[in-house]
């Protein structure tokens, strides 16, 4: 009899525990629902709240520009105001700016307090002035062509590269990445690289014009021979050098300008009356 009573009590206790567990799960589910609903409501309010809205260009802060103007960056973004800070397509805007030749890298961040957009720009540094097929612009060390209109203004003389490159095309980019460091570190001043005839790369240097031949052939050796040619200035007046031919660095040659013919003064004798 006592065993039956104990069994009944134990069964009832289990039923109560199960009912308690069910109620707990219901309350937990309700709590989670309320939390998620609250977050969703708060997010929806935040996205539509006027406080998180960009209403003017001044709330788009441009950092890191020296050669380009902040106004040109804002113009390329083409943002329409007012614009919710949360609806700003930062990934698409970054891709749009990164496609501009004058920009090496870009980061776009949202700031909540006060609400604004921060655009951080890393510009490409021009290392040479570029001219080809009536187009003008600049080159950076990687060989990227930067049309001059991307700067929107004339660069100050202090920021203009002294090196000029003629006839360069994007197909030479990999070779430029090898040539430029070599030329930049030469002890002889190079003011121009003429790529208009790929079979004969021409340098304009303090010694005069230098013919290097095919631009892919033994370039380091040719530039070493150029440095060794500095001693020419002690043997030949530089004004007499037409060009230095280093197309074969093992046998450099120097072409001199023709000597002007001596001027002979004709003296006419006059008699006396």
């Amino acid at each position: 009899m006592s065993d039956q009573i104990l069994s009944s009590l134990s069964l009832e206790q289990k039923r109560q525990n199960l009912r308690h567990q069910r109620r707990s799960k219901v309350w937990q589910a309700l709590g989670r629902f309320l939390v998620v609903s609250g977050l969703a409501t708060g997010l929806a309010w935040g996205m539509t709240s006027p406080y998180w809205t960009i209403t003017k260009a001044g709330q788009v802060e441009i950092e890191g520009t020296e050669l380009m103007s902040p106004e040109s960056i804002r113009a390329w973004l083409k943002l329409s105001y007012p614009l919710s800070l949360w609806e700003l397509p930062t990934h698409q805007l970054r891709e749009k700016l990164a496609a501009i030749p004058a920009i090496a890298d870009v980061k776009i961040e949202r700031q909540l307090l006060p609400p604004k957009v921060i655009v951080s720009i890393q510009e490409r540094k021009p290392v040479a002035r570029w001219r080809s097929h009536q187009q003008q612009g600049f080159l950076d060390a990687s060989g990227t062509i930067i049309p001059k209109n991307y700067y929107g203004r004339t660069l100050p003389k202090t920021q203009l590269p002294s090196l000029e490159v003629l006839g360069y095309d994007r197909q030479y980019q990999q070779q430029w990445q090898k040539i430029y460091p070599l030329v930049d570190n030469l002890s002889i001043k190079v003011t121009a690289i003429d790529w208009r005839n790929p079979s004969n790369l021409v340098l304009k240097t303090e010694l005069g014009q230098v013919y290097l031949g095919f631009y892919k052939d033994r370039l380091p050796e040719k530039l070493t021979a150029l440095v060794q040619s500095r001693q020419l200035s002690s043997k030949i007046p530089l004004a007499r050098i037409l060009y230095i031919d280093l197309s074969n660095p093992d046998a450099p040659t120097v072409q001199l300008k023709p000597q002007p013919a001596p001027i002979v003064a004709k003296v006419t004798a006059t008699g006396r009356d």
Side-chain angles (χ1 to χ4, degrees):
M1 181 70 177
S2 59
D3 292 340
Q4 292 178 351
I5 294 174
L6 289 173
S7 178
S8 298
L9 291 173
S10 176
L11 184 60
E12 182 62 26
Q13 184 67 37
K14 290 180 180 179
R15 289 172 179 167
Q16 289 179 0
N17 290 338
L18 288 173
R19 285 195 295 269
H20 178 71
Q21 290 174 5
R22 291 192 191 99
R23 285 196 296 269
S24 296
K25 290 180 179 179
V26 169
W27 284 109
Q28 288 173 4
L30 181 61
R32 286 194 294 269
F33 173 77
L34 292 174
V35 169
V36 172
S37 298
L39 290 173
T41 302
L43 182 61
W45 175 84
M47 292 181 68
T48 57
S49 172
Y51 186 77
W52 308 114
T53 300
I54 303 298
T55 59
K56 56 185 179 180
Q59 290 176 274
V60 180
E61 186 175 298
I62 311 298
E63 297 179 344
T65 55
E66 295 182 8
L67 304 177
M68 293 182 293
S69 67
E71 291 76 16
S72 64
I73 301 296
R74 294 190 185 98
W76 283 320
L77 287 172
K78 295 182 180 180
L79 297 178
S80 300
Y81 308 103
L83 177 66
S84 170
L85 193 64
W86 303 106
E87 294 176 351
L88 189 72
T90 55
H91 181 71
Q92 290 90 329
L93 293 176
R94 183 193 175 281
E95 287 186 339
K96 181 187 293 186
L97 292 181
I100 295 173
I103 295 177
D105 194 18
V106 59
K107 294 180 181 178
I108 300 179
E109 299 175 327
R110 302 180 183 92
Q111 179 176 295
L112 301 182
L113 297 173
K116 63 180 178 180
V117 179
I118 301 174
V119 181
S120 301
I121 299 293
Q122 180 182 339
E123 295 176 317
R124 294 189 185 276
K125 180 182 177 182
V127 298
R129 292 172 284 123
W130 167 78
R131 285 194 292 125
S132 182
H133 305 295
Q134 299 182 339
Q135 294 179 307
Q136 296 185 34
F138 302 92
L139 286 178
D140 76 341
S142 74
T144 298
I145 296 173
I146 308 168
K148 67 177 184 178
N149 63 290
Y150 280 101
Y151 293 124
R153 57 188 175 87
T154 302
L155 296 181
K157 287 186 178 180
T158 55
Q159 294 177 317
L160 280 175
S162 59
L163 178 65
E164 183 177 35
V165 178
L166 306 173
Y168 170 87
D169 194 80
R170 288 179 178 86
Q171 63 180 310
Y172 305 132
Q173 185 167 8
Q174 289 186 349
Q175 199 63 25
W176 166 262
Q177 294 172 4
K178 300 175 183 178
I179 292 175
Y180 173 70
L182 294 173
V183 171
D184 188 49
N185 290 311
L186 279 179
S187 57
I188 289 180
K189 178 71 173 177
V190 177
T191 57
I193 302 176
D194 191 338
W195 220 307
R196 287 176 292 186
N197 180 4
S199 63
N200 184 25
L201 191 68
V202 179
L203 303 185
K204 184 178 180 180
T205 76
E206 63 184 77
L207 299 178
Q209 285 201 109
V210 178
Y211 294 172
L212 297 181
F214 186 52
Y215 70 96
K216 287 185 178 181
D217 185 26
R218 302 177 65 185
L219 186 65
E221 297 172 58
K222 295 173 182 178
L223 294 179
T224 298
L226 172 60
V227 174
Q228 295 170 349
S229 300
R230 183 190 291 276
Q231 59 185 340
L232 285 173
S233 59
S234 63
K235 300 178 181 179
I236 306 172
L238 295 182
R240 285 209 57 206
I241 297 177
L242 185 61
Y243 62 83
I244 301 171
D245 189 345
L246 299 177
S247 55
N248 180 4
D250 298 325
T253 60
V254 179
Q255 180 67 43
L256 301 179
K257 297 176 183 177
Q259 288 264 29
I263 299 176
V264 179
K266 185 176 181 181
V267 179
T268 303
T270 58
R272 293 184 180 180
D273 293 336

